[in-house]
Amino acid sequence: MFALQFSQYGSPDVLTVADAEEPHAGPGEIRITVRAAGVTPSDWKLRSGVLHRLLPLDLPHIPGVDAAGVVDEIGDGVTGVAVGDAVFGLVDVAGHGGAAAEFAVLTVWAAKPDALSWEQAGGAAADVETATRVLNALGVTAGTTLLIEGAAGGTGTVTTQLAIARGATVIGTAGQHNHEFLAGLGATPTTYGPGLVERVTALAPDGVDAVLDTAGSGSLPDLVTIAGDANRVVSIADPNAHEHGVRLSLGPGNSEHELGYAGLAVAAALATEGRFTVPLHAVLPLKDGAKAHELSATGHARGKIVLSVRKMETL
């Protein structure tokens, strides 16, 4: 099969589309012919080598953890899905990749709703899992006031919608140029940076119940002040969160992720009802994987960056 891959750590230029061995569905898994695959910050961090001591990879490595496509193999013990079905989901997150290829093996999936394009569905699963996991960890339910630091990115936009679907009120930080966009998702926008405590206090005079940091921009002291308790703040982006008493939620292999996986079917149902979408910052062909990684690394994407995976586009 063809796949986006890298054989050494480095800049985006190490990425190339080349032949790779086909994976096959094992017990409890399905294989899909990939139509689209999402790009997440972990993809370029792993490729750059910045995480190689913590998360060493077997090279060459195929990036990408979420994808959408058509089922073409079904492993033993799998029920409720058939060859030819359209699905979206996640590869085995313990492998840290494998989705940006002609074929990918999914360990978690849901039926793709017609309301989402292939590109939207391809970029949905990782952010839906993350959003569901952190909303559960923060106890977000109807009546909760939630502040999202970095609300205009891929995870932020998905978390905003899933929180509102639970009946929460969302305040989201973003650059001024993204305020109208956030308001369109149902959030109350404000700017990040100095004066954040005062701005949020003015918007939520009765206080904020929970805070999610998706930015990792060093704002945790202010976010803890806003929440009134570090236990009411979760970060998915600041490696120094523990220094502020804040929980850092990331990495595979725990029960939180099992709860997060349940969010895929919830998001699909909401999309069918017209209450959930996946805003796209850019859709690029697989051969432009390097450009996709560059865009993700800027930290300024509005919505999700997605790779379209079609054979003719790799030629």
Side-chain angles (χ1 to χ4, degrees):
M1 69 172 184
F2 60 84
L4 183 69
Q5 54 192 286
F6 58 92
S7 297
Q8 64 185 47
Y9 298 115
S11 70
D13 293 338
V14 301
L15 289 166
T16 184
V17 176
D19 289 337
E21 185 176 350
E22 286 187 21
H24 293 281
E29 300 174 335
I30 61 173
R31 190 178 84 163
I32 63 171
T33 300
V34 179
R35 296 292 184 86
V39 176
T40 66
S42 64
D43 293 332
W44 62 263
K45 290 177 182 178
L46 287 165
R47 185 221 69 237
S48 71
V50 69
L51 299 177
H52 79 279
R53 295 185 187 277
L54 179 64
L55 299 172
L57 302 174
D58 292 328
L59 300 178
H61 178 76
I62 299 170
V65 295
D66 52 1
V70 177
V71 178
D72 80 336
E73 278 186 8
I74 298 176
D76 291 343
V78 174
T79 60
V81 67
V83 170
D85 285 354
V87 300
F88 71 106
L90 293 159
V91 301
D92 181 359
V93 289
H96 308 296
E102 184 176 5
F103 301 105
V105 171
L106 304 184
T107 57
V108 181
W109 63 87
K112 178 186 119 26
D114 292 339
L116 296 181
S117 67
W118 283 115
E119 291 76 20
Q120 290 172 317
D127 288 329
V128 168
E129 185 281 321
T130 300
T132 304
R133 169 167 35 96
V134 298
L135 291 174
N136 289 342
L138 289 166
V140 174
T141 58
T144 299
T145 297
L146 171 69
L147 170 65
I148 300 177
E149 174 82 315
T155 302
T157 55
V158 166
T159 307
T160 293
Q161 295 175 83
L162 294 183
I164 290 171
R166 293 185 180 202
T169 296
V170 176
I171 299 171
T173 71
Q176 185 69 43
H177 61 288
N178 281 324
H179 282 197
E180 183 177 353
F181 166 70
L182 282 183
L185 294 178
T188 300
T190 190
T191 52
Y192 47 78
L196 179 62
V197 174
E198 293 75 18
R199 290 191 297 276
V200 173
T201 299
L203 292 171
D206 294 329
V208 167
D209 302 302
V211 178
L212 168 62
D213 168 36
T214 76
S217 58
S219 61
L220 285 180
D222 280 349
L223 299 182
V224 171
T225 297
I226 290 168
D229 185 339
N231 291 323
R232 291 157 62 182
V233 183
V234 169
S235 178
I236 61 169
D238 193 328
N240 300 313
H242 67 281
E243 296 177 6
H244 306 280
V246 170
R247 181 177 181 177
L248 181 64
S249 182
L250 47 78
N254 57 54
S255 59
E256 283 188 351
H257 283 261
E258 296 299 324
L259 295 172
Y261 297 149
L264 271 63
V266 172
L270 289 170
T272 299
E273 296 170 7
R275 301 169 62 198
F276 177 81
T277 190
V278 180
L280 298 176
H281 177 80
V283 176
L284 300 168
L286 193 65
K287 65 183 179 181
D288 287 344
K291 182 177 180 180
H293 277 222
E294 289 173 354
L295 286 172
S296 179
T298 67
H300 297 303
R302 187 172 83 176
K304 191 77 173 190
I305 298 166
V306 174
L307 292 169
S308 175
V309 184
R310 302 179 192 276
K311 189 168 187 176
M312 63 183 179
E313 293 174 338
T314 68
L315 300 177

